[in-house]
Amino acid sequence: MTPKSAYHHGDLRAQLIAAVRELVETHGPDGFSVAEAARRAGVSSAAPYKHFKDRHEILRGVVSEAMDRLRIAMEDGAAAHPIASLEAIAAVGQAYVDFARTEPGVFRLVFSLTEGHENAPDLLAKGANCFGVVVHAVARRLDLRPDDPDVQRRAYMLWSFVHGHSFLTIDMKHKVASAEIDDWSYLMTISRAILAAA
Amino acid sequence: MTPKSAYHHGDLRAQLIAAVRELVETHGPDGFSVAEAARRAGVSSAAPYKHFKDRHEILRGVVSEAMDRLRIAMEDGAAAHPIASLEAIAAVGQAYVDFARTEPGVFRLVFSLTEGHENAPDLLAKGANCFGVVVHAVARRLDLRPDDPDVQRRAYMLWSFVHGHSFLTIDMKHKVASAEIDDWSYLMTISRAILAAA
DNA sequence: AATACATGTGAGGGTTGTTAACTTTACCGC
DNA sequence: GCGGTAAAGTTAACAACCCTCACATGTATT
C-alpha cells in the first residue's frame, strides 16, 4: 500500500485509472494517452502495460468503475423516495442525468466503447444491472414482476428517454432547444406518460 | 473532375471525406487516420492538409455531410405520410433510427465531436435544422406555430426519446433489453403518449 | 509567354502504442 | 537470515501517426 520504495509504489493500477478518468474528463474521450497517464502517475511509459494489456483495457477499467458509481447513484435516487412512488422512478432518471452533467467526458466514454471492446462480459453485465434498477422501480410501481414483458417495455422506454435527454443535454450545453429545461418536472411528466401509455 | 494528370486529381476533398466515412464506419470513430485516408485516396500523407487544417476538420467534413443526409431522410420520412398525421411524426423518428442502424459509426461520430470542435457554427446550425424537422411535424399535428413553447417542449421530448433509442439500439446489438423491439409500433406509441401528455 | 496560385510530393520532428530485455523489490519455504 | 521466484518497475527501440516545411508541378490569369 504505502509506496515505501518508489519502485513498486503499490497502487499503480488504481492511480492510472484515476489519472485516465481525469484526462478523459478534461480533454475528452480521445484526448487521453497512456503516456500522459503514466506521466501523471510518475512512472515510465511502459509501466502501465504491467497492469493492462491495452490502452483499451485501461479505458475499460475506467468505464467499469464509472458504471458502478452510476448504478449506486441510481439506486440511491430511488431509495430516497417512497417505494412504488412515481417520484422514485423519476429520481432514478434524475441520477442518470446528473451523472451525465457532472462527468460528461466519462459518461460519453461509457457509451463509446465499441472497437476493441467486443468481448467485455463484465461491462455488459454492469450495464444490465443499471437497466435493472429502472426495471425494478417500474415493477414496484406497477405491482408486477420485473420480468413481466410490459414492465420491461416501459422500463426500456424510460431508459431511452433519459439516455437521450442526457446526451442531448451535454451535447448542446449552449442551448439549441430554445429554453432551459427543468429536469425534474420533465422527468415526472415523462414517467407519468410512459406508465400510462397503452 | 476527371483526374487527367495524376497530380491535381481535382476531387481530393470529396474523396477524402468518402474515405474517412468508410473508415469510421468499418473501424469505428477512433480507428481512422489521416494517413490511411490519404493512402486510400492515392495521395501522399501530406496532401490532405492542403484541404483541411486538422484531422478534426476532416471529421467535421464527414459530419457535415452526414447531417445533410440525415435531415433529408427525416424530411422524406415525414413527406411520405399525410400532413399532420401521427404517422408523419413517427416516420421522422423512424428515419433517425434507420440512419443510426445503417451507419452506426458515422452516427456515433456525429455526436462525439466535442474536443477541438468547439467553434463549428455550421454544424450547430445543421443540428438545429434536424431538430427543426421534428418541430415542424409536431407543429403541424398540433396546429400551432413552430415557435410555440409547447411545441418545442414536445418536440424535444420526442427527440430525446428517439435519440436515446437509437443509441441504445446500436450499443447493444446483442440484446440487453430482453426482446427485440418493433421500431414502428414503438415510435407510434411514444408519439401518441407525448402528444397527449400534460 | 510569364507569372501567380492552387495543389501535389518528400523529408523530417515530435508524440504515441507496444514489445523486449533487463533490474529491482517483495515474498515464501527453509 | 537465505536463496529463488514472480511481480512490478526501468530503459531502449520500432513502427505509425500528425503535422510542418521547403520544394515541385500543374492551371489560370493577364
Side-chain angles (χ1 to χ4, degrees):
Chain A
M1 292 290 175
T2 44
K4 320 205 132 186
S5 50
Y7 233 86
H8 288 52
H9 68 103
D11 195 26
L12 186 53
R13 192 193 150 94
Q15 250 178 267
L16 282 173
I17 289 189
V20 169
R21 186 178 55 189
E22 206 178 308
L23 281 172
V24 165
E25 201 47 59
T26 59
H27 296 74
D30 296 4
F32 125 89
S33 78
V34 43
E36 175 67 19
R39 221 169 286 137
R40 297 206 176 189
V43 296
S44 79
S45 66
Y49 293 91
K50 298 291 171 175
H51 296 268
F52 302 94
K53 166 172 153 295
D54 266 325
R55 48 175 276 123
H56 300 296
E57 192 165 303
I58 306 185
L59 289 176
R60 258 176 283 156
V62 174
V63 168
S64 174
E65 182 254 19
M67 286 180 105
D68 287 341
R69 298 208 322 276
L70 175 57
R71 179 184 44 76
I72 290 172
M74 291 166 78
E75 287 169 351
D76 288 354
H81 295 268
I83 290 182
S85 67
L86 202 61
E87 281 79 4
I89 294 179
V92 173
Q94 181 75 58
Y96 202 90
V97 176
D98 285 345
F99 188 95
R101 282 230 173 83
T102 312
E103 326 184 30
V106 172
F107 183 79
R108 271 212 162 76
L109 177 65
V110 169
F111 296 101
S112 36
L113 295 192
T114 74
E115 59 257 64
H117 304 277
E118 340 302 312
N119 309 328
D122 55 330
L123 293 187
L124 286 188
K126 294 197 182 197
N129 285 344
C130 285
F131 182 55
V133 178
V134 184
V135 171
H136 198 75
V138 172
R140 285 294 185 129
R141 176 69 180 168
L142 296 181
D143 197 23
L144 293 172
R145 295 183 46 199
D147 57 356
D148 184 296
D150 193 44
V151 168
Q152 296 267 332
R153 219 177 97 261
R154 289 179 203 267
Y156 179 77
M157 287 191 190
L158 273 167
W159 195 20
S160 312
F161 197 79
V162 171
H163 191 66
H165 174 48
S166 300
F167 259 106
L168 291 180
T169 219
I170 63 179
D171 268 336
M172 341 178 157
K173 25 186 177 278
H174 298 314
K175 67 170 187 307
V176 158
S178 63
E180 296 297 319
I181 289 185
D182 173 3
D183 282 333
W184 182 256
S185 74
Y186 191 56
L187 288 166
M188 285 292 286
T189 302
I190 282 299
S191 302
R192 210 180 335 256
I194 290 180
L195 292 192
Chain B
M1 295 286 176
T2 45
K4 319 205 133 186
S5 49
Y7 233 86
H8 288 54
H9 68 99
D11 195 26
L12 186 54
R13 192 192 150 94
Q15 251 178 266
L16 282 173
I17 289 187
V20 170
R21 185 178 55 191
E22 206 178 310
L23 281 172
V24 165
E25 201 49 60
T26 59
H27 296 73
D30 295 4
F32 125 88
S33 78
V34 169
E36 176 66 19
R39 221 168 286 137
R40 297 206 177 190
V43 296
S44 80
S45 64
Y49 294 93
K50 296 292 173 175
H51 296 268
F52 302 93
K53 167 173 152 295
D54 266 326
R55 48 177 274 122
H56 299 296
E57 193 166 301
I58 306 186
L59 290 176
R60 259 177 283 155
V62 175
V63 168
S64 174
E65 182 255 17
M67 287 181 104
D68 287 340
R69 299 208 322 277
L70 175 57
R71 179 183 45 76
I72 290 172
M74 292 166 79
E75 286 169 350
D76 288 354
H81 295 268
I83 290 182
S85 67
L86 202 61
E87 281 79 6
I89 294 180
V92 172
Q94 182 74 59
Y96 202 89
V97 176
D98 285 345
F99 189 95
R101 281 230 173 85
T102 313
E103 325 185 32
V106 172
F107 183 78
R108 272 211 163 76
L109 177 66
V110 169
F111 296 100
S112 39
L113 296 191
T114 73
E115 59 258 65
H117 305 277
E118 341 300 314
N119 308 328
D122 56 329
L123 292 187
L124 286 186
K126 294 198 182 198
N129 285 345
C130 286
F131 181 55
V133 177
V134 184
V135 171
H136 198 75
V138 172
R140 286 293 186 133
R141 176 70 179 166
L142 295 181
D143 197 25
L144 293 171
R145 294 183 47 197
D147 57 355
D148 185 297
D150 193 45
V151 168
Q152 297 266 332
R153 218 177 98 263
R154 290 179 204 267
Y156 179 76
M157 286 190 190
L158 274 166
W159 195 21
S160 312
F161 206 83
V162 170
H163 190 66
H165 174 48
S166 300
F167 259 106
L168 292 180
T169 219
I170 62 180
D171 268 337
M172 341 177 157
K173 25 185 178 277
H174 297 314
K175 65 170 187 310
V176 157
S178 62
E180 297 296 319
I181 288 185
D182 174 3
D183 282 333
W184 182 255
S185 74
Y186 188 56
L187 288 167
M188 285 293 287
T189 302
I190 282 300
S191 303
R192 210 180 337 255
I194 289 180
L195 291 192

